[in-house]
Amino acid sequence: MRIKNNNNLDMKKLKLVLCWHMHQPEYRDLQTGEFKLPWTYLHVIKDYVDMVSYLEAVPNAKAVVNFAPILLEQIEEYAKQVTCYLHDRIAITDPLLAALVDPSIPADPEARLKLIKDCMRANRERQVNRYPAFKKLVEMAEWLEQHYEGLSYINSQFISDILVWYHLAWMGETVKLTDVRVKHLIDKGCGYTLHDRIEIVEVIGEQLSNVLLRYKVLARKGQIELSVTPYAHPIMPLLLDIHSAHEAMPNAPLPELDAYPGGEERVKWHLEKGVQTFKRFFGFKPQGCWPSEGSISPQTLKILGDFGFSWAASGGTVLRNSLHLPENDKSTNVHHPFHLKGADIACFFRDDGLSDLIGFEYSKWHADDAVADLIHHIEAIGRNQTADSVVSIIMDGENAWEYFPANGYYFLSALYKQLANHPTIELTTFSECLESKVEVKQLAKLVSGSWVYGTFSTWIGDADKNRGWDMLGDVKWAYDKAISSGRLSSEQIKTAELQLAVCEGSDWFWWFGDYNPGEAVSNFEKQFRLNLANLYRLLGEQAPAYLALSFTQGSGAPAMGGAMRPGIEV
């Protein structure tokens, strides 16, 4: 698209891609079917429905939306369970969601306290304090944490009200503004009945059942491009070569595990399974892949290209690290896709500065000021760029918004409207950039890394993370031995293969380390050990004794609760 500048000369609009990555790890105990943490359904009703609503409201806006396949399957399972509960009163296997429709409250004080504490896991400023009735309940809950004996005086109404308010606080802003049932419950404020709680589950069920279809419709219209990650979100470069971590952090200690057994085979399995899952939900093969955590290496890019993907994306620091190599041209403009020699795929790189402004700064600003500032930065890039430049803002599509007023409603609504009608900026997608023949610059050599700091330090390189890799290596050897023995049936192999995939996910390693919050580290570490123990059982093996012992603890207070990281280390 061309416009006229002040000198009446033709000039191209600056291409801007907003890429939102939607991802939650597998929270189910695959052997019992129980969801151990509620974050998948909570992010559906809060973030995934809001994010698609903003795009629906501005039909000339465009974006790329990436879904992790293991998230798609969990959304489907939640939708099925809620439907089965509402129609046939079949029990829901998520304890928090099930408590919402349970007529009774737990008799055991410990169970009561756990339920109450679960209903406090919300952003204090934006989700709790916004509602005086919810704030009062949380303050009472905090008193109960310090006065355990008071739990015996807690009645069912307190439990009912805090459960309802927790789910109302997590409800998406677009739902609060449009659903009369939710509006009524917010206005009611207290004294919620079982009928009220079931009504909330009905609202939740509608969001779960419809959310993916809404994205599919926008993809059919060409308004969004849908892309995929490997099935269970593994860090592919580390599965392929653990020593690739040393490229960006040469002095980092590595696990005793010298190489992940059969890593290339596992990477290809995750890609194949990921594409199959994506096609089942959306009906087509995606052109692009957001490698888990933007983690790339030369071997990873080659495999992605061989797999038929036309584009991948990663962090800006990966590109900057690579451009500092003597083989590459340091003066190269970074706002372009690149083609690595030997890999048949274009790779786009995140503008870390712009992305981190949204993720870490603009939640503290007035929405209009934040949008104006972001657009000012993009306009400045446009004035200093050559034709065919592409600016890529790539972000977690869910965790930032709870820090914004109204879940980011004012910021994102205004951002899409202003960008969609901007005279010098063109909202587009990665595939459209390639179709329009933007220049894909050459990269002679790449430094392997991720979007976080340009390294793999979030997943490997300290004692606790390395211990996790050694434990994963142990179970993979046991898996390989069991498969080669021929004693497992085809059905047993299929079940074990899925369980192994979950163990290989990146999220467990993200949370290992004392710089993370204690509760999050404990939750993810327990689930990692459970996943490994389940795999040993499926293989007919005794789980090692060390899986009964916690191996990492957290005591940190990182920004955004540790669920997000900036792209540039400060």
Side-chain angles (χ1 to χ4, degrees):
M1 186 181 294
R2 292 185 178 274
I3 59 171
K4 298 281 187 178
N5 69 5
N6 291 333
N7 298 319
N8 292 322
L9 298 173
D10 276 350
M11 62 181 289
K12 282 189 175 182
K13 283 189 172 187
L14 177 67
K15 294 182 185 297
L16 172 67
V17 178
L18 301 177
C19 177
W20 310 112
H21 171 50
M22 312 302 196
H23 162 62
Q24 293 295 320
E26 177 60 85
Y27 290 120
R28 287 172 291 183
D29 176 344
L30 291 184
Q31 303 315 299
T32 66
E34 180 184 350
F35 284 92
K36 293 295 186 179
L37 292 167
W39 305 123
T40 293
Y41 86 83
L42 291 175
H43 281 294
V44 167
I45 65 173
K46 187 172 81 69
D47 301 303
Y48 307 152
V49 297
D50 271 1
M51 293 297 277
V52 75
S53 293
Y54 303 140
L55 284 158
E56 290 167 338
V58 187
N60 56 335
K62 288 195 172 182
V64 176
V65 180
N66 188 86
F67 278 104
I70 211 158
L71 169 62
L72 297 173
E73 290 183 342
Q74 288 180 86
I75 294 173
E76 178 183 49
E77 176 62 19
Y78 268 114
K80 181 180 117 184
Q81 287 199 23
V82 172
T83 299
C84 288
Y85 169 78
L86 292 172
H87 289 181
D88 303 308
R89 292 301 187 258
I90 296 173
I92 297 170
T93 65
D94 183 294
L96 186 59
L97 193 52
L100 195 54
V101 292
D102 192 335
S104 60
I105 65 169
D108 176 48
E110 281 292 340
R112 286 189 194 186
L113 184 60
K114 182 183 186 309
L115 185 55
I116 292 167
K117 288 176 73 172
D118 286 347
C119 291
M120 297 165 64
R121 294 190 294 198
N123 183 283
R124 188 62 179 258
E125 180 183 2
R126 303 300 190 192
Q127 292 176 282
V128 176
N129 293 352
R130 178 182 180 182
Y131 302 105
F134 188 28
K135 179 184 178 185
K136 182 162 48 170
L137 291 170
V138 169
E139 288 170 349
M140 292 169 68
E142 288 172 336
W143 184 87
L144 286 167
E145 282 188 288
Q146 304 302 318
H147 300 83
Y148 185 80
E149 69 282 359
L151 286 165
S152 60
Y153 294 97
I154 290 300
N155 64 11
S156 60
Q157 193 62 63
F158 179 87
I159 298 288
S160 183
D161 283 7
I162 200 168
L163 275 165
V164 168
W165 266 115
Y166 184 73
H167 287 88
L168 290 174
W170 269 88
M171 202 69 71
E173 195 67 19
T174 57
V175 181
K176 291 174 185 173
L177 290 170
T178 58
D179 194 298
V180 294
R181 296 164 296 180
V182 174
K183 287 181 180 180
H184 166 72
L185 290 170
I186 290 173
D187 290 341
K188 184 174 180 178
C190 63
Y192 296 111
T193 65
L194 180 59
H195 177 270
D196 293 331
R197 289 187 271 143
I198 292 173
E199 194 166 56
I200 287 186
V201 173
E202 289 172 350
V203 175
I204 290 171
E206 290 166 15
Q207 307 307 323
L208 288 163
S209 297
N210 296 329
V211 64
L212 297 180
L213 177 61
R214 294 168 69 184
Y215 283 97
K216 186 176 180 178
V217 167
L218 292 190
R220 282 178 180 162
K221 291 179 178 178
Q223 190 179 348
I224 64 173
E225 176 179 7
L226 292 171
S227 61
V228 73
T229 44
Y231 175 71
H233 212 265
I235 303 296
M236 292 189 287
L238 296 179
L239 293 186
L240 293 166
D241 179 9
I242 277 180
H243 295 274
S244 66
H246 273 158
E247 293 179 31
M249 39 181 204
N251 298 317
L254 293 184
E256 292 178 18
L257 181 71
D258 190 56
Y260 187 69
E264 183 173 347
E265 179 187 1
R266 292 302 300 155
V267 162
K268 290 177 178 176
W269 183 93
H270 280 276
L271 289 170
E272 179 66 42
K273 178 74 172 172
V275 169
Q276 284 176 2
T277 305
F278 182 97
K279 286 171 69 176
R280 183 167 72 79
F281 282 93
F282 296 118
F284 63 93
K285 182 178 178 180
Q287 296 183 60
C289 176
W290 167 249
S292 314
E293 306 292 0
S295 295
I296 58 172
S297 64
Q299 190 179 359
T300 302
L301 287 178
K302 183 177 187 315
I303 290 172
L304 290 173
D306 292 345
F307 220 79
F309 290 111
S310 60
W311 65 262
S314 185
T317 308
V318 173
L319 179 59
R320 285 192 290 276
N321 288 345
S322 300
L323 291 177
H324 280 113
L325 296 173
E327 294 90 340
N328 295 318
D329 181 2
K330 289 185 180 61
S331 64
T332 300
N333 174 3
V334 298
H335 291 111
H336 274 276
F338 285 78
H339 175 268
L340 178 64
K341 184 178 179 181
D344 188 22
I345 189 172
C347 191
F348 293 82
F349 291 90
R350 178 181 191 262
D351 186 305
D352 289 329
L354 297 181
S355 304
D356 287 349
L357 279 172
I358 299 174
F360 291 89
E361 290 300 321
Y362 288 151
S363 60
K364 307 163 196 167
W365 293 35
H366 188 284
D368 292 341
D369 295 335
V371 171
D373 187 71
L374 182 63
I375 290 177
H376 173 75
H377 284 300
I378 298 167
E379 289 170 339
I381 292 170
R383 287 192 293 271
N384 295 303
Q385 296 300 307
T386 57
D388 280 352
S389 293
V390 180
V391 176
S392 303
I393 293 178
I394 304 174
M395 273 191 61
D396 179 319
E398 55 221 7
N399 285 308
W401 314 125
E402 68 192 68
Y403 295 89
F404 280 73
N407 203 43
Y409 175 82
Y410 301 108
F411 172 76
L412 287 164
S413 296
L415 182 66
Y416 278 124
K417 285 174 188 170
Q418 294 194 37
L419 288 175
N421 298 300
H422 197 282
T424 64
I425 301 169
E426 177 189 356
L427 277 179
T428 185
T429 68
F430 291 132
S431 286
E432 285 184 352
C433 287
L434 297 178
E435 288 163 9
S436 67
K437 306 297 183 186
V438 298
E439 181 184 5
V440 181
K441 293 182 177 282
Q442 295 299 307
L443 205 57
K445 193 173 181 183
L446 177 83
V447 177
S448 302
S450 77
W451 75 267
V452 186
Y453 315 147
T455 73
F456 298 129
S457 63
T458 302
W459 303 275
I460 200 168
D462 77 9
D464 292 348
K465 296 178 193 295
N466 291 346
R467 178 69 185 125
W469 277 99
D470 288 329
M471 292 159 71
L472 179 61
D474 286 349
V475 81
K476 181 56 164 62
W477 280 318
Y479 171 88
D480 289 344
K481 184 178 176 182
I483 297 297
S484 62
S485 73
R487 57 184 168 80
L488 300 181
S489 68
S490 58
E491 192 59 38
Q492 287 174 317
I493 291 173
K494 184 179 177 183
T495 304
E497 203 167 40
L498 283 171
Q499 185 68 56
L500 173 63
V502 170
C503 296
E504 292 167 335
S506 68
D507 292 80
W508 322 118
F509 300 91
W510 173 291
W511 291 103
F512 300 159
D514 60 5
Y515 58 88
N516 277 312
E519 183 183 6
V521 174
S522 176
N523 287 337
F524 281 86
E525 186 258 358
K526 282 178 186 172
Q527 187 138 4
F528 180 66
R529 288 187 287 118
L530 173 68
N531 289 332
L532 296 179
N534 280 344
L535 181 50
Y536 278 110
R537 279 192 287 274
L538 290 170
L539 299 173
E541 299 284 341
Q542 182 75 31
Y546 63 67
L547 288 182
L549 302 171
S550 176
F551 68 95
T552 181
Q553 290 182 311
S555 58
M560 308 307 195
M564 295 171 59
R565 304 260 157 82
I568 303 170
E569 193 165 13
V570 291

